[in-house]
């Protein structure tokens, strides 16, 4: 299975109290994701981002964009298919 891609969808505008308007991650969270090597840790991090977005609201555009990114890399995540989180 290929590596789980970053939740970043290449918008990278930090507003909303330091959270990116594209993916909801902070700069520290983006750095932390890059350090994760195991796919199970990366998938858990994506679940965290989904839960964070649910709590913050206004990120409905992220899931279709991230799902497209995952399809391009041939990665299937349960959190995007109505699995865990939120």
């Amino acid at each position: 299975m290929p590596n789980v891609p970053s939740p970043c969808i290449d918008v990278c505008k930090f507003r909303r109290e330091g959270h990116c308007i594209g993916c909801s991650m902070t700069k520290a969270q983006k750095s932390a994701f890059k350090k994760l090597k195991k796919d199970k840790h990366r998938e858990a991090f994506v679940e965290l981002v989904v839960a964070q977005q649910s709590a913050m609201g206004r990120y409905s555009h992220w899931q279709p964009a991230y799902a497209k990114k995952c399809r391009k890399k041939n990665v299937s995540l349960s959190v995007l298919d109505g699995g865990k989180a939120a």
Side-chain angles (χ1 to χ4, degrees):
M1 181 175 169
N3 282 344
V4 174
S6 169
C8 177
I9 56 171
D10 300 321
V11 173
C12 300
K13 301 268 189 225
F14 294 92
R15 297 189 183 114
R16 301 181 183 168
E17 295 87 36
H19 292 269
C20 176
I21 64 171
C23 65
S24 81
M25 292 192 297
T26 63
K27 289 180 182 181
Q29 288 173 320
K30 287 185 181 222
S31 294
F33 183 85
K34 290 176 186 176
K35 294 176 184 173
L36 299 175
K37 300 300 178 204
K38 294 183 178 180
D39 274 343
K40 65 180 180 178
H41 296 156
R42 288 173 160 245
E43 189 165 355
F45 191 95
V46 172
E47 289 179 28
L48 170 101
V49 170
V50 170
Q52 178 173 294
Q53 290 173 349
S54 179
M56 294 177 74
R58 302 181 350 196
Y59 288 96
S60 60
H61 61 280
W62 175 83
Q63 189 159 343
Y66 186 63
K68 181 179 178 181
K69 184 176 184 177
C70 288
R71 279 193 305 275
K72 279 184 168 182
K73 296 191 180 238
N74 205 22
V75 174
S76 177
L77 298 177
S78 62
V79 71
L80 297 179
D81 301 326
K84 307 172 197 167

